[in-house]
Amino acid sequence: MLAVCGHSTLEELYSQLPDEALLKRPLNIPAGISEYEITSYFQQRGQENASGYASFLGAGVYRHYRPVLCDVVVSRGEFLTSYTPYQAEMAQGTLMTIFEFQTMICQLTGMEVANASMYDASTAVPEAAMMAARITGRPRFLVASSVHPEYREVLDTYARNSRTQVATFGYDAATGECDLKDLDAKLDDHTACVIVQSPNFFGVIEKVSAAAELAHKRGALLVMLFSEAVSLGMLQPPKSADIVAGELQSFAISPSYGGPFAGIIATKEKFMRQIPGRLAGETTDAGGRRAYCLTLSTREQHIRREKATSNICTNQALIALLATVFMSVYGKQGLRELAEQNLAKAHYLAGALDRRFTGKFFNEFVVRTNGKSPGQINGALENQRIIGGLDLARFYPELRGCMLVCATEMSRREDMDALIQAVRA
Amino acid sequence: MTYPENYGYTKEHEWVSVEGGVCVVGITFHAQKELGDIVYVDLPRPNTAVEAGKTFGSVESVKAVSDIFAPVSGEVVEVNQALADAPEMLNEKPHDAAWLVKIKLSNPEEIKSLMSAADYQSYLGG
Amino acid sequence: MIRKVRSHINQNETLLFEQSSPGKRAYQLPALDVPPVDAASVLGSDARTEIEDFPEVSEVEVIRHFTRLSTWNYGIDLGLFPLGSCTMKYNPRINEVVAREPGLAWAHPYQPESLSQGCMEVLALLEEYLCEIFGMDAVTLQPAAGAHGEFTGIMLIRSYLESQGNPRKKVLCPDSAHGTNPATAIIAGYEVENIKSNEKGMVDVEALAKAVNEDVAALMLTNPNTVGVFEEQILTIASILHEKGAQIYMDGANMNALVGISRPGDFGVDVMHSNLHKTFSTPHGGGGPGSGPVGVRKHLEPFLPGPRLKKAGGGWTWDYDRPKSIGRVRAFYGNFGVLVRALAYIMAHGGPGLRNATLDALLTANYVRARLEPYYQIAYQAPSMHECVFSDDRQAAKGVRTGDIAKRLLDYGFHPYTVSFPMIVRGALMIEPTETEPKQELDLFCDALISIAGEIEENPQLVLKAPHGTRTSRVDEVTAARKPVVRWRRNETASKAAD
């Protein structure tokens, strides 16, 4: 092969590089190791973590069972090792699953259009906000303080550089819902959108329609976020929202120390041309048969460059496929039953504990630790190989002595009883 | 392809037809041919002020977006709504039914700088 | 009547919604070990009654549906995938196995640090290795993909320049740049100015020198650039920018051409990202997930997104006390599962193996170039690194364009090269074979393109109407864009399904 290229050594292949740009020593990385050694290295790292612990952590990352079929499908090389489906004739498999994904997200959220995925919910939030800014021509985002604190941090980072401003409105100290009076007072004619999350960071179900009504009165859009997708199996779809942004981690996606997850953005048909990211559409092939392709690509960076709706290119396609298989396996009845189990477990747990907020909740809620610190309780639980709740003082100093607790279909009654014991003891 | 004699043309491949103080503006046969199948047209709302030489909208094919530049300054008084549902008209009838906007002239002098049909065709030829 | 779409065994598949019927199920939940709760009574009007039209199918239908669809796809596992700039190399399966290691896969980002040391060690080791490969002083693993890394990098530059008193106004992008570069600069609040390439396909250094002034924050440069050519004047370019107080951002999409032979940190780059799903072989998965770590030189380190890993006692801790940080660019710590795969890839190769992979990538690209140059017009004479770019000049004379050649390549059983990019090349064919392709596969691919060149001479219609042998013939993208149908609705599309 070298001879065909007209060279006699491999080094000649980069002889055009200026001498100063060359690395003249070997990389300081140990020599390659075998499959067996790699496996045992990562097994050891896994052992150093909380391997095999029960956990009551939620806060945007939930423990749900992953049906076996999910891994079976995403492990197929035709999905795993394929590229973005720009060449439609050779990527109908990926395109059709994206089309199904978009449809299922619409069915769950009550929206009319959904994109093919965003990185995660935290980055879908600023993308949704910037979309609202483009639609309304307004520069200000009004976000509920009951939205996941890390999502708000990401929004702040994006806004700081894009000539937009973020303002926050509070939550009701009794119910844990966002404070609609505060929202009404802070809404102005520069507000592009109001951003609420439901269930919110405290697990409380928000009054999305009421917030939407206030926003619409001032010409602003309502962006609804969700971080616990299983809740959509049981909660009314947010039809009053203009944009829905969310996280699908609950749909078979491993917690995996925070990623990769899959975010979504869904909206009304009239805003379709402002949605960021890829869209698959249905059409026909030259023979008149049903076929799919990526569409409305002129919104995207590879064509519109500096005028694109977003700079997103790579998305979370394989993770979205994982979620699609999950939704297919559970289906209409299964997602409902799964949500019912989550509701029942969380309400069993909450029934024996002192809830901080009175608002309605799904599978997550805030507990008063009455006298003991969350740290003490969690320390006691660790000895029983149980990870307790999230100490809320970390994000909300006013909620010192409170922790956020989540129960899913994977929470066993005996572990919940141990948690109750530890809080009450 | 024939280019109507009574129209004025720009180097950005727009045509202008003056009817009283109002100009009808469209893109030329040559422009639509270069763009290929047109799938979407983004036009300003009525009452928008436009400035000669500045972009006021865009035309999209599947894999390209092209800005449309205002050939004259003035105010948009009418937009061709039919293009929203049938952008393919721009490929089929670029010089008549697929006009884009009507602009009320603010500076009639600008008309003089447009090319004639003959000049435009030799501009294309060159 | 035969209701199959095509007679082939796995070419008959409808949408899952069309296979749905009430009561079918593919799941089994355990018996509830706590009392059931009535949704309507605790949620009131917030309770939903049903998810309208959500699918109801059986387990065998689920597996069959997705398996059939998978056979309509093409992947690296099936053959060479010569997409230039995308770096479609083999994805070792060991990486998939270790990412599913339960102690890693089930790790919650908020579990106590004392119970997360394994994850933190993985991240720390990957940061260390990437610093060494990039020649950089620090790396953040937070960005979720390349474009996200670009955004992070430009914000770092903005914050740094602000700390120097003036964030400046403009970012320069060569006209050969990836579309994400200008899109990113705008989102980060800068104006974009394009810099023309010279006749060698490289940055025109004189034009650059004229463009760089006190308003310029940075140049976003891909090196090797998008025509697969190393910017030979890179050191001059760096000094032009640095003299005026501007920064160099390197888009590391093509870092796989440099690993082990040259380091951006050594040739003047201030900040860069690398696409782990390209250079470090994490699977593309039909479009993601990726990961876009950003490396920086020392002066930019204080601005990196928080939290940062810090040694404490015998282990690791997250340091949130980062007063100069640009802030978070995403929740938690990055696409951890992707980072695990990349680390496994680096460990399998080791330092010497990574360098060998680079050399093989250069070899395969130059081999393809040498074999195809007699038939296709090479865009630039400058030596190729890991990819080669041709133009369709000769074929266009027969009315056949790069997009048509790409479709004909499907009939030969190959995924096409990158079509019509970079934009500075008229009718570009951009080919990147990667180091993992055996010579036999490379030859099959070259033979296919050579054969197509012959077909264009003799029978251009054959190529213009391609593909002929794929399950789906040429897809009508125009109608898809004019009348977008982006979701299934009951009764709307069923008629076309069984035509």
Side-chain angles (χ1 to χ4, degrees):
Chain A
M1 282 170 73
L2 263 178
V4 174
C5 304
H7 292 297
S8 50
T9 67
L10 283 168
E11 282 67 25
E12 286 173 23
L13 289 165
Y14 60 91
S15 56
Q16 71 274 28
L17 267 63
D19 190 58
E20 303 94 310
L22 293 177
L23 178 66
K24 289 171 186 140
R25 59 167 177 82
L27 283 173
N28 186 18
I29 294 175
I33 56 175
S34 68
E35 215 172 272
Y36 170 68
E37 290 162 297
I38 292 170
T39 312
S40 54
Y41 170 83
F42 286 101
Q43 274 169 355
Q44 282 166 34
R45 299 291 80 75
Q47 292 302 319
E48 289 162 11
N49 287 336
S51 194
Y53 281 52
S55 166
F56 292 96
L57 286 172
V61 182
Y62 302 91
R63 286 168 73 90
H64 291 291
Y65 177 71
R66 175 194 284 192
V68 169
L69 287 195
C70 296
D71 261 334
V72 169
V73 171
V74 299
S75 298
R76 287 192 67 92
E78 300 91 330
F79 285 127
L80 183 74
T81 73
S82 65
Y83 190 66
T84 307
Y86 292 127
Q87 293 294 337
E89 295 82 359
M90 233 173 185
Q92 286 297 303
T94 294
L95 286 161
M96 196 154 150
T97 61
I98 295 175
F99 186 79
E100 292 180 326
F101 172 81
Q102 290 171 180
T103 304
M104 291 184 203
I105 297 303
C106 288
Q107 291 166 340
L108 280 178
T109 59
M111 292 288 112
E112 293 162 338
V113 184
N115 73 4
S117 76
M118 306 301 291
Y119 305 137
D120 69 348
S122 75
T123 53
V125 173
E127 293 279 3
M130 290 190 292
M131 181 177 158
R134 286 193 299 275
I135 292 167
T136 59
R138 297 173 172 191
R140 186 168 176 260
F141 312 131
L142 197 44
V143 57
S145 61
S146 52
V147 166
H148 195 302
E150 294 200 13
Y151 297 0
R152 285 186 282 128
E153 283 181 48
V154 177
L155 179 64
D156 284 340
T157 306
Y158 275 67
R160 206 174 303 133
N161 291 287
S162 62
R163 303 185 189 98
T164 50
Q165 305 101 43
V166 182
T168 308
F169 65 102
Y171 63 88
D172 185 304
T175 63
E177 295 164 356
C178 69
D179 183 344
L180 292 173
K181 272 191 194 139
D182 195 29
L183 166 61
D184 199 26
K186 286 178 175 162
L187 263 164
D188 64 17
D189 295 337
H190 300 292
T191 307
C193 64
V194 172
I195 306 175
V196 297
Q197 177 184 328
S198 186
N200 67 22
F201 189 68
F202 309 130
V204 173
I205 296 160
E206 294 281 16
K207 294 195 161 54
V208 180
S209 308
E213 211 171 293
L214 291 175
H216 292 158
K217 240 174 28 197
R218 298 301 291 266
L221 304 186
L222 193 283
V223 175
M224 195 208 87
L225 314 175
F226 63 87
S227 66
E228 170 49 293
V230 171
S231 69
L232 292 166
M234 177 170 279
L235 295 179
Q236 283 291 359
K239 283 189 174 154
S240 56
D242 301 284
I243 304 171
V244 177
E247 175 61 67
L248 299 184
Q249 181 273 328
S250 291
F251 288 174
I253 303 167
S254 307
S256 196
Y257 206 48
F261 298 162
I264 60 107
I265 289 187
T267 188
K268 311 270 194 206
E269 204 166 305
K270 61 183 170 185
F271 302 135
M272 177 158 59
R273 286 181 183 275
Q274 292 301 336
I275 206 169
R278 294 178 190 134
L279 280 172
E282 187 175 284
T283 181
T284 52
D285 71 1
R289 284 176 289 267
R290 181 157 76 181
Y292 298 86
C293 64
L294 291 178
T295 193
L296 302 185
S297 306
T298 47
R299 299 163 295 113
E300 294 181 69
Q301 49 75 29
H302 63 279
I303 292 173
R304 206 178 281 254
R305 299 175 78 84
E306 63 265 29
K307 291 179 185 163
T309 50
S310 164
N311 72 338
I312 191 167
C313 180
T314 292
N315 60 11
Q316 304 290 118
L318 195 73
I319 310 289
L321 176 61
L322 202 61
T324 308
V325 181
F326 177 92
M327 290 187 275
S328 308
V329 167
Y330 276 105
K332 188 189 240 182
Q333 293 309 317
L335 201 57
R336 171 78 189 190
E337 266 182 55
L338 181 65
E340 280 170 355
Q341 288 214 352
N342 277 258
L343 187 79
K345 300 256 186 178
H347 282 73
Y348 170 80
L349 185 59
L353 296 171
D354 181 10
R355 277 179 64 216
R356 169 66 181 79
F357 296 118
T358 57
K360 293 180 219 168
F361 66 103
F362 172 60
N363 69 355
E364 198 169 15
F365 54 92
V366 177
V367 176
R368 280 198 194 93
T369 51
N370 295 335
K372 269 177 296 181
S373 74
Q376 286 169 321
I377 294 167
N378 287 339
L381 287 167
E382 246 180 73
N383 297 330
Q384 305 170 60
R385 295 179 70 81
I386 295 172
I387 297 171
L390 178 73
D391 185 347
L392 281 176
R394 170 173 172 184
F395 295 117
Y396 299 88
E398 72 276 18
L399 294 178
R400 190 159 294 286
C402 292
M403 61 183 195
L404 182 64
V405 170
C406 171
T408 71
E409 79 282 3
M410 290 180 77
S411 307
R412 294 182 307 174
R413 183 170 182 157
E414 62 214 72
D415 295 323
M416 293 196 280
D417 291 340
L419 174 68
I420 292 164
Q421 275 290 308
V423 176
R424 285 179 167 175
Chain B
M1 187 62 210
T2 58
Y3 289 87
E5 292 293 336
N6 54 335
Y7 289 4
Y9 298 86
T10 70
K11 288 185 174 175
E12 279 81 31
H13 309 287
E14 281 111 17
W15 57 260
V16 178
S17 158
V18 189
E19 295 167 6
V22 174
C23 286
V24 186
V25 176
I27 61 168
T28 65
F29 176 84
H30 173 83
Q32 66 77 26
K33 192 162 157 260
E34 285 294 300
L35 285 162
D37 293 317
I38 290 163
V39 299
Y40 184 68
V41 188
D42 186 23
L43 295 173
R45 292 185 186 139
N47 305 324
T48 310
V50 297
E51 195 183 326
K54 294 271 168 68
T55 161
F56 72 92
S58 61
V59 180
E60 298 182 10
S61 62
V62 173
K63 291 195 171 120
V65 185
S66 300
D67 285 332
I68 319 169
F69 297 89
V72 291
S73 308
E75 186 189 316
V76 175
V77 290
E78 199 181 334
V79 175
N80 190 351
Q81 298 295 349
L83 294 176
D85 291 324
E88 57 273 21
M89 273 167 55
L90 270 168
N91 292 114
E92 293 155 6
K93 296 174 177 169
H95 291 164
D96 39 77
W99 59 276
L100 301 173
V101 292
K102 294 184 180 172
I103 297 173
K104 191 175 169 197
L105 279 172
S106 61
N107 180 8
E109 287 294 300
E110 286 170 357
I111 296 295
K112 291 177 184 162
S113 58
L114 299 171
M115 285 182 273
S116 70
D119 288 348
Y120 179 64
Q121 275 170 294
S122 62
Y123 169 69
L124 292 180
Chain C
M1 191 178 86
I2 296 167
R3 299 247 305 152
K4 281 198 163 194
V5 176
R6 292 269 185 100
S7 54
H8 192 281
I9 191 162
N10 55 11
Q11 295 188 341
N12 179 38
E13 187 61 17
T14 57
L15 290 164
L16 211 51
F17 310 103
E18 294 158 349
Q19 302 175 30
S20 180
S21 99
K24 285 201 279 192
R25 51 193 277 173
Y27 68 96
Q28 176 75 54
L29 283 162
L32 199 54
D33 61 359
V34 296
V37 171
D38 178 41
S41 66
V42 298
L43 300 175
S45 61
D46 287 317
R48 125 186 250 168
T49 46
E50 68 162 338
I51 312 167
E52 233 174 284
D53 289 333
F54 215 55
E56 289 175 89
V57 287
S58 67
E59 186 170 334
V60 70
E61 284 172 311
V62 173
I63 190 80
R64 214 171 255 171
H65 177 67
F66 290 104
T67 304
R68 284 174 175 174
L69 293 190
S70 77
T71 66
W72 301 356
N73 262 6
Y74 186 82
I76 304 155
D77 285 2
L78 286 162
L80 179 139
F81 214 124
L83 279 175
S85 208
C86 303
T87 315
M88 299 296 285
K89 56 170 83 173
Y90 168 64
N91 307 130
R93 285 306 196 284
I94 176 70
N95 303 350
E96 299 306 305
V97 172
V98 295
R100 285 171 171 79
E101 166 62 34
L104 303 176
W106 285 95
H108 191 288
Y110 291 149
Q111 68 193 29
E113 287 180 358
S114 59
L115 293 174
S116 305
Q117 289 298 308
C119 290
M120 295 162 98
E121 173 62 27
V122 163
L123 295 173
L125 187 61
L126 182 61
E127 280 189 11
E128 181 193 322
Y129 285 170
L130 292 179
C131 278
E132 167 67 4
I133 292 166
F134 301 161
M136 290 288 175
D137 298 312
V139 163
T140 173
L141 302 173
Q142 215 176 84
H148 202 215
E150 291 175 27
F151 178 59
T152 306
I154 297 299
M155 284 193 294
L156 291 169
I157 289 173
R158 172 183 279 278
S159 289
Y160 166 73
L161 292 173
E162 261 167 10
S163 76
Q164 305 287 301
N166 178 9
R168 305 186 174 203
K169 292 186 187 133
K170 281 191 294 194
V171 166
L172 307 179
C173 295
D175 50 9
S176 58
H178 293 112
T180 48
N181 294 175
T184 298
I186 293 290
I187 290 167
Y190 283 108
E191 293 162 27
V192 173
E193 187 174 319
N194 283 305
I195 301 291
K196 284 224 175 310
S197 301
N198 65 17
E199 71 291 344
K200 292 169 89 178
M202 302 182 202
V203 171
D204 185 331
V205 174
E206 274 173 40
L208 178 72
K210 276 191 205 131
V212 179
N213 56 34
E214 316 297 318
D215 280 342
V216 172
L219 168 71
M220 291 182 89
L221 186 71
T222 307
N223 193 23
N225 63 25
T226 58
V227 293
V229 168
F230 190 88
E231 294 284 352
E232 289 170 19
Q233 306 234 52
I234 182 68
L235 293 142
T236 314
I237 292 170
S239 63
I240 289 172
L241 284 143
H242 290 153
E243 268 167 31
K244 292 275 160 72
Q247 301 280 293
I248 294 202
Y249 181 91
M250 189 179 109
D251 178 330
N254 296 338
M255 187 63 210
N256 57 311
L258 300 182
V259 176
I261 63 173
S262 178
R263 308 195 309 170
D266 296 340
F267 55 67
V269 169
D270 300 291
V271 49
M272 66 174 287
H273 83 265
S274 171
N275 311 67
L276 297 187
H277 47 291
K278 297 181 180 180
T279 302
F280 299 97
S281 186
T282 67
H284 280 72
S291 174
V294 168
V296 294
R297 291 184 36 216
K298 214 171 236 114
H299 62 285
L300 293 166
E301 194 277 339
F303 305 97
L304 287 174
R308 300 276 303 148
L309 280 171
K310 195 169 79 176
K311 263 276 181 225
W316 295 103
T317 184
W318 286 112
D319 179 11
Y320 290 87
D321 185 21
R322 306 274 306 168
K324 289 184 172 175
S325 166
I326 59 167
R328 273 185 179 284
V329 295
R330 60 155 284 167
F332 316 120
Y333 323 107
N335 275 347
F336 178 77
V338 180
L339 302 170
V340 167
R341 289 169 173 88
L343 179 61
Y345 176 85
I346 294 173
M347 292 172 103
H349 282 72
L354 289 171
R355 181 172 186 276
N356 287 341
T358 303
L359 296 180
D360 285 347
L362 303 188
L363 179 62
T364 57
N366 278 280
Y367 179 76
V368 168
R369 173 176 171 167
R371 284 213 54 199
L372 295 180
E373 245 184 300
Y375 306 92
Y376 293 88
Q377 181 61 49
I378 191 82
Y380 295 99
Q381 287 304 323
S384 294
M385 295 288 286
H386 65 300
E387 63 194 6
C388 49
V389 181
F390 296 91
S391 92
D392 64 9
D393 274 359
R394 295 182 204 170
Q395 289 70 30
K398 291 274 178 185
V400 178
R401 304 305 312 265
T402 175
D404 304 312
I405 301 168
K407 296 296 183 204
R408 183 61 179 149
L409 205 45
L410 301 178
D411 289 331
Y412 284 83
F414 286 106
H415 192 280
Y417 45 78
T418 296
V419 179
S420 300
F421 184 85
M423 290 170 179
I424 57 168
V425 176
R426 206 178 136 83
L429 296 76
M430 187 196 208
I431 302 170
E432 178 179 10
T434 83
E435 73 277 7
T436 55
E437 291 308 321
K439 178 171 180 294
Q440 192 181 11
E441 187 81 2
L442 294 169
D443 281 333
L444 284 173
F445 173 71
C446 293
D447 291 346
L449 271 174
I450 292 166
S451 169
I452 294 169
E455 288 169 356
I456 293 166
E457 291 298 318
E458 286 154 26
N459 182 9
Q461 282 304 315
L462 179 68
V463 180
L464 286 168
K465 293 231 155 57
H468 306 282
T470 49
R471 174 193 169 272
T472 301
S473 54
R474 213 175 271 209
V475 171
D476 182 0
E477 296 182 350
V478 172
T479 304
R482 279 182 183 160
K483 308 269 181 307
V485 177
V486 294
R487 63 169 294 191
W488 175 85
R489 281 179 203 274
R490 181 169 295 284
N491 298 331
E492 220 166 63
T493 58
S495 61
K496 272 188 266 172
D499 284 358

